[in-house]
Structures are given as C-alpha cells and as structure tokens.
Amino acid sequence: MAHTESGTTMSDAEVVDIMTDMTARLDQTAGAVRTNRQTMIDLASRLITLAQAGHPELADSVMEVPASRYTDPARYEAERHAIFDRMPFVAGLSRDVAEPGDYLRIDHMGTPIMVTRNRQGQIRAFVNACRHRGAALVYDDRGHSRAGFSCPYHAWSYDLDGHLLGVSCNASFGNPDKASLGLIPVAAHERHGLILVAPKPGVTIDWDHFIGPELDAELPHWGFDTVAASRVGPIELNGNWKLVLETFLESYHFNYAHRDNLAQYYNGNVNTVDMLGRHLRTATSLRTIQTDLPALPQDQWTPENYIHVKYVLFPGTILINTPQVLEFFQIMPLGVDRTLVRHGCYSRMDLTNPANAALFERIWESAHTVVQKQDFPYGVTTPHPALTSAALPGLVFGRNEWPLQILAQEIDRAVAEAPAPATT
Ligand code: FES
Ligand SMILES: [Fe+2]
C-alpha cells in the first residue's frame, strides 16, 4: 500500500466511502462551478452514448511507439529544447499568490524561479538567485515576504519588482549601479485565475497564441479565481515524463487498476476526446449519468454533477475539474528517467463548513494515494526499467487510448518544428 505525504495509507474501501460522501454532499457545491451549460450538455450527451456503446471516442488505428522515445538521452534533450525550454507552464493559481509579497518557488523547470505579486497586484517572476553571489532568495515552496526579499547570505535586499534596494558594506562594492543589479526577470502572465510563467529569462509569453481562442473562452467557466484553500505535495518518480503524462490520458485502466475504488463510481473505458488548439480536453462520468439523465427532459439536466472534465495544457499541466475540487498536476522532467509531479488540490466547497473541510482533506489524500498506489507504479515506475533494459521494444496505444496517440504526435511535431539549438 502506498504511503502519502502525511505518511498515512488509505484503503480502497476508504476511497469508495469518500466517493459516496462526495455524491451525498453535492448540494454543498451547487453554483460553485460556473460551467458552460451548452458544453456540459454536449459532453453529457456524448458520454451517455459512449457508456451505452461501452467504449470511448476512438482513434482510427492502433499506434506503436519505440522504447527509445522514453529512454534515449538525445531524444530527452531534444524535448527539453523544443518544449520545456521554450513553452510557458502553469506555475499555480492566482490564489497561490493572492496578496502582495506572497510567493511560489519553482525549482524543477531548469531555471530556479520565484513568482510573486507586487504592491500594484501584478504578477512578477524572477530567477531565484541573488545578483551578488547567486544565493537563492526564497527557500520555501510557498511563503510571504511583504517587504520584499532579503538575501540570507550577505543581506542584499530587493523589492517586489526585483529592484535592488540595499547592498550591505556598499563601499566595498564601489557603490554599485543598483539599477543594473536587479533580480533577473522571467515572463509571467495571469488570466482566468491561472498563472503562466516562462521557463527561463528571454522566453516571452503570448497567452492568445499559446492558449488559443477555444480554451481561452472555456477556462473562465471553471472559476479558477474563486477556488478555496489548497493542499500541495510533490511526488518524485523514476521514469520518463511522457509515461507520467500517459497515465492521465485514458479511462481504459479504470476497470482494472482502479477496479476496487474509482470504478465503483466512474465509467471505465468511456471518455470524450477534444483538442482545443494543442491542448486536450477529455471528460469522464459517474456511472449514474446513463440512468439519471435520460430519465429527465434536457432542461432539467445537471450535467456538472456527473462529469469530470480534464484539461491537459500542452505538454504537462493537468487540471481535473470535479464539482467538489480542482485537482492540479504539473509534470516536470528532471532527466530522461526522473520526473517530479507537483500535485495540488483546490476546494470548490465552502471550507468554513467543518464537514466540507473534512471531506476536502479526505479527497486530497485519496487522490494522492490512488496515483501513487496504482497509476504511477503501473504506468511509470515499472514500465521504465523494462523499456531501459531494451528487452521491451516499445509500447502499444489502442484505439481506445486516442489521447495518448494525439499527444505523442503533438510532442513529435514540437520536436520536429523546433529551431536547432544555438551552437557555441
Ligand atoms: S549572495 Fe546574496 S548577498 Fe551575497
Ligand atoms: Fe488512474
């Protein structure tokens, strides 16, 4: 049984109990999700049809991918160069840095980054390194430093816009030009309650181009700017980042890997597939969708109570929307065979109600347990050594694993289209 961050374990029966409570307490989430009704009715109609047919929306054919895609260091470097060094990622939600001086530390995207909010309420991101001798300014994953940032090594100080304010023993540095020694900025952009950050200095963010018009129109409906307190916990895995991504992309495994927990409530091997630009939307449903909704006229449907909508922002930000919570997973490659997953959970329930607060803690722990107990061992940490051994020639993506095929092609396209790395 897997151990969670808190060192506790959760059994399948406890996970099922939580799903029972989530269903029983749906009244606590009414109105919390401002979903686009027409989109949700469309997804519900498709999910009911698919549940009756017993399969998800299907790819045209089966796809095979070679082991080297996961194990070749040169391939990994090409992906870093084409994707992770040049595309923005979701550093967190607006609420994670709600007040001026709140900060997030992101250490695993190649460049150490800190994200904060200035006195005018604007999001700012910097390289988390002092301009004197490079010590990090912030050390906690989240924190608050209202007055700005003071380096713990020799006390150089900076304001929330990164301006250098003070140099201890100033004369020993020849009264340096402070204007040229501010923190090194990194591009950041906040919209719809999400914070996009560039992976390193010099990379710009074009929200409209990256997010695209379809997703930009849909994101506000999820109320990311109104979710409540969150829990966060990193998970480090021995395996290639694409194996981690692929664990989130199909519902085929529900009926087997999650037979004794999630599949008690959710339809396995039933999901919709939509590409919104280069980002993926896939929806799954409660088993009750195919019994409850067809019995009602469509104008009485409450599809948001039956559907979980997952967005995969290319390549590795996963946002899973349920009536009760937003689950957040950020996939950060540490090397060809190591990956860090930042897992967060944000509440859509009113947490001033103690019963909701208790349920939120249990939802967080159950998700954190299930991915570590089932998804990551089956999908990441046992396949990776088999692929590395060269005994396993590759993997097979079925027609019912269409999103795996789509994202594999998107990743290949990004690698093929990236300009060659600068030579030194
Ligand atoms: S490294 Fe920051 S003050 Fe010296
Ligand atoms: Fe799973």
Side-chain angles (χ1 to χ4, degrees), residues 247-248 250-251 253-254 257-258 261-262 310 370-371 374-376:
T247 66
F248 291 99
E250 44 85 7
S251 63
H253 72 284
F254 283 20
H258 304 317
N261 47 53
L262 304 187
K310 181 185 301 177
V370 167
V371 293
Q374 290 158 353
D375 296 282
F376 295 156

mmCIF file of all heavy atoms in Angstrom, residues 247-248 250-251 253-254 257-258 261-262 310 370-371 374-376, ligand 2:
data_model
loop_
_atom_site.group_PDB
_atom_site.id
_atom_site.type_symbol
_atom_site.label_atom_id
_atom_site.label_comp_id
_atom_site.label_asym_id
_atom_site.label_seq_id
_atom_site.Cartn_x
_atom_site.Cartn_y
_atom_site.Cartn_z
ATOM 1 N N THR A 247 -0.345 8.366 -18.022
ATOM 2 C CA THR A 247 -1.242 7.800 -17.005
ATOM 3 C C THR A 247 -2.528 8.607 -16.861
ATOM 4 O O THR A 247 -3.525 8.098 -16.348
ATOM 5 C CB THR A 247 -0.577 7.716 -15.610
ATOM 6 O OG1 THR A 247 -0.332 9.029 -15.112
ATOM 7 C CG2 THR A 247 0.700 6.919 -15.632
ATOM 8 N N PHE A 248 -2.488 9.873 -17.314
ATOM 9 C CA PHE A 248 -3.660 10.743 -17.136
ATOM 10 C C PHE A 248 -4.574 10.760 -18.361
ATOM 11 O O PHE A 248 -5.576 11.461 -18.374
ATOM 12 C CB PHE A 248 -3.206 12.183 -16.863
ATOM 13 C CG PHE A 248 -2.547 12.369 -15.524
ATOM 14 C CD1 PHE A 248 -1.168 12.406 -15.412
ATOM 15 C CD2 PHE A 248 -3.309 12.490 -14.372
ATOM 16 C CE1 PHE A 248 -0.557 12.582 -14.179
ATOM 17 C CE2 PHE A 248 -2.717 12.664 -13.134
ATOM 18 C CZ PHE A 248 -1.331 12.704 -13.042
ATOM 19 N N GLU A 250 -6.144 8.237 -20.392
ATOM 20 C CA GLU A 250 -7.188 7.291 -20.807
ATOM 21 C C GLU A 250 -7.980 6.799 -19.591
ATOM 22 O O GLU A 250 -7.466 6.789 -18.471
ATOM 23 C CB GLU A 250 -6.593 6.107 -21.591
ATOM 24 C CG GLU A 250 -5.321 5.496 -21.036
ATOM 25 C CD GLU A 250 -5.543 4.452 -19.963
ATOM 26 O OE1 GLU A 250 -6.698 4.083 -19.720
ATOM 27 O OE2 GLU A 250 -4.547 4.024 -19.358
ATOM 28 N N SER A 251 -9.231 6.365 -19.852
ATOM 29 C CA SER A 251 -10.067 5.810 -18.779
ATOM 30 C C SER A 251 -10.176 4.287 -18.883
ATOM 31 O O SER A 251 -10.871 3.657 -18.094
ATOM 32 C CB SER A 251 -11.473 6.430 -18.835
ATOM 33 O OG SER A 251 -12.111 6.097 -20.054
ATOM 34 N N HIS A 253 -8.008 2.116 -18.090
ATOM 35 C CA HIS A 253 -7.456 1.409 -16.918
ATOM 36 C C HIS A 253 -8.382 1.437 -15.706
ATOM 37 O O HIS A 253 -8.161 0.669 -14.764
ATOM 38 C CB HIS A 253 -6.088 2.001 -16.544
ATOM 39 C CG HIS A 253 -6.143 3.356 -15.918
ATOM 40 N ND1 HIS A 253 -6.376 4.508 -16.636
ATOM 41 C CD2 HIS A 253 -6.004 3.756 -14.625
ATOM 42 C CE1 HIS A 253 -6.369 5.546 -15.813
ATOM 43 N NE2 HIS A 253 -6.152 5.128 -14.589
ATOM 44 N N PHE A 254 -9.399 2.298 -15.708
ATOM 45 C CA PHE A 254 -10.272 2.394 -14.525
ATOM 46 C C PHE A 254 -10.802 1.018 -14.120
ATOM 47 O O PHE A 254 -10.840 0.682 -12.942
ATOM 48 C CB PHE A 254 -11.493 3.285 -14.806
ATOM 49 C CG PHE A 254 -11.242 4.773 -14.805
ATOM 50 C CD1 PHE A 254 -9.977 5.302 -14.964
ATOM 51 C CD2 PHE A 254 -12.303 5.653 -14.666
ATOM 52 C CE1 PHE A 254 -9.762 6.666 -14.980
ATOM 53 C CE2 PHE A 254 -12.104 7.019 -14.679
ATOM 54 C CZ PHE A 254 -10.836 7.522 -14.842
ATOM 55 N N ALA A 257 -7.094 -1.311 -13.044
ATOM 56 C CA ALA A 257 -6.233 -0.754 -11.992
ATOM 57 C C ALA A 257 -7.053 -0.178 -10.843
ATOM 58 O O ALA A 257 -6.663 -0.282 -9.678
ATOM 59 C CB ALA A 257 -5.323 0.324 -12.583
ATOM 60 N N HIS A 258 -8.167 0.456 -11.161
ATOM 61 C CA HIS A 258 -8.997 1.099 -10.126
ATOM 62 C C HIS A 258 -10.309 0.334 -9.915
ATOM 63 O O HIS A 258 -11.306 0.916 -9.510
ATOM 64 C CB HIS A 258 -9.322 2.543 -10.520
ATOM 65 C CG HIS A 258 -8.137 3.410 -10.791
ATOM 66 N ND1 HIS A 258 -7.021 3.408 -9.994
ATOM 67 C CD2 HIS A 258 -7.894 4.323 -11.773
ATOM 68 C CE1 HIS A 258 -6.142 4.283 -10.487
ATOM 69 N NE2 HIS A 258 -6.644 4.839 -11.556
ATOM 70 N N ASN A 261 -11.778 0.762 -6.446
ATOM 71 C CA ASN A 261 -12.056 2.089 -5.879
ATOM 72 C C ASN A 261 -12.786 2.966 -6.900
ATOM 73 O O ASN A 261 -14.020 2.955 -6.947
ATOM 74 C CB ASN A 261 -10.795 2.749 -5.287
ATOM 75 C CG ASN A 261 -9.577 2.693 -6.202
ATOM 76 O OD1 ASN A 261 -9.625 3.094 -7.352
ATOM 77 N ND2 ASN A 261 -8.471 2.192 -5.674
ATOM 78 N N LEU A 262 -12.079 3.663 -7.772
ATOM 79 C CA LEU A 262 -12.747 4.640 -8.643
ATOM 80 C C LEU A 262 -13.815 4.014 -9.532
ATOM 81 O O LEU A 262 -14.880 4.603 -9.786
ATOM 82 C CB LEU A 262 -11.727 5.377 -9.529
ATOM 83 C CG LEU A 262 -10.581 6.104 -8.818
ATOM 84 C CD1 LEU A 262 -9.769 6.923 -9.825
ATOM 85 C CD2 LEU A 262 -11.092 7.008 -7.713
ATOM 86 N N LYS A 310 -11.288 17.068 -17.721
ATOM 87 C CA LYS A 310 -9.837 17.168 -17.573
ATOM 88 C C LYS A 310 -9.266 17.955 -18.751
ATOM 89 O O LYS A 310 -9.608 17.685 -19.907
ATOM 90 C CB LYS A 310 -9.243 15.759 -17.572
ATOM 91 C CG LYS A 310 -7.747 15.689 -17.402
ATOM 92 C CD LYS A 310 -7.252 14.247 -17.528
ATOM 93 C CE LYS A 310 -7.878 13.325 -16.519
ATOM 94 N NZ LYS A 310 -7.448 11.927 -16.700
ATOM 95 N N VAL A 370 -4.190 7.238 -4.572
ATOM 96 C CA VAL A 370 -4.515 6.398 -5.734
ATOM 97 C C VAL A 370 -3.455 6.534 -6.830
ATOM 98 O O VAL A 370 -3.031 5.536 -7.424
ATOM 99 C CB VAL A 370 -5.930 6.734 -6.269
ATOM 100 C CG1 VAL A 370 -6.157 6.113 -7.649
ATOM 101 C CG2 VAL A 370 -6.987 6.231 -5.290
ATOM 102 N N VAL A 371 -2.983 7.758 -7.095
ATOM 103 C CA VAL A 371 -1.974 7.884 -8.148
ATOM 104 C C VAL A 371 -0.685 7.172 -7.754
ATOM 105 O O VAL A 371 -0.013 6.563 -8.600
ATOM 106 C CB VAL A 371 -1.692 9.355 -8.554
ATOM 107 C CG1 VAL A 371 -2.898 9.973 -9.227
ATOM 108 C CG2 VAL A 371 -1.193 10.198 -7.389
ATOM 109 N N GLN A 374 -1.485 3.094 -7.622
ATOM 110 C CA GLN A 374 -1.871 2.378 -8.835
ATOM 111 C C GLN A 374 -1.333 3.036 -10.108
ATOM 112 O O GLN A 374 -0.580 2.424 -10.849
ATOM 113 C CB GLN A 374 -3.405 2.257 -8.882
ATOM 114 C CG GLN A 374 -3.886 1.294 -7.800
ATOM 115 C CD GLN A 374 -5.316 1.450 -7.375
ATOM 116 O OE1 GLN A 374 -6.000 2.373 -7.787
ATOM 117 N NE2 GLN A 374 -5.791 0.567 -6.525
ATOM 118 N N ASP A 375 -1.688 4.285 -10.372
ATOM 119 C CA ASP A 375 -1.331 4.873 -11.672
ATOM 120 C C ASP A 375 0.177 4.903 -11.909
ATOM 121 O O ASP A 375 0.641 4.504 -12.984
ATOM 122 C CB ASP A 375 -1.895 6.294 -11.778
ATOM 123 C CG ASP A 375 -3.401 6.308 -11.748
ATOM 124 O OD1 ASP A 375 -4.005 6.002 -12.784
ATOM 125 O OD2 ASP A 375 -3.977 6.589 -10.685
ATOM 126 N N PHE A 376 0.939 5.389 -10.931
ATOM 127 C CA PHE A 376 2.366 5.576 -11.187
ATOM 128 C C PHE A 376 3.160 4.261 -11.162
ATOM 129 O O PHE A 376 4.033 4.071 -12.015
ATOM 130 C CB PHE A 376 2.953 6.628 -10.238
ATOM 131 C CG PHE A 376 2.372 8.024 -10.457
ATOM 132 C CD1 PHE A 376 2.374 8.969 -9.450
ATOM 133 C CD2 PHE A 376 1.823 8.392 -11.687
ATOM 134 C CE1 PHE A 376 1.845 10.240 -9.649
ATOM 135 C CE2 PHE A 376 1.284 9.652 -11.901
ATOM 136 C CZ PHE A 376 1.289 10.585 -10.876
HETATM 137 FE FE FE B 2 -5.866 6.356 -12.852
#
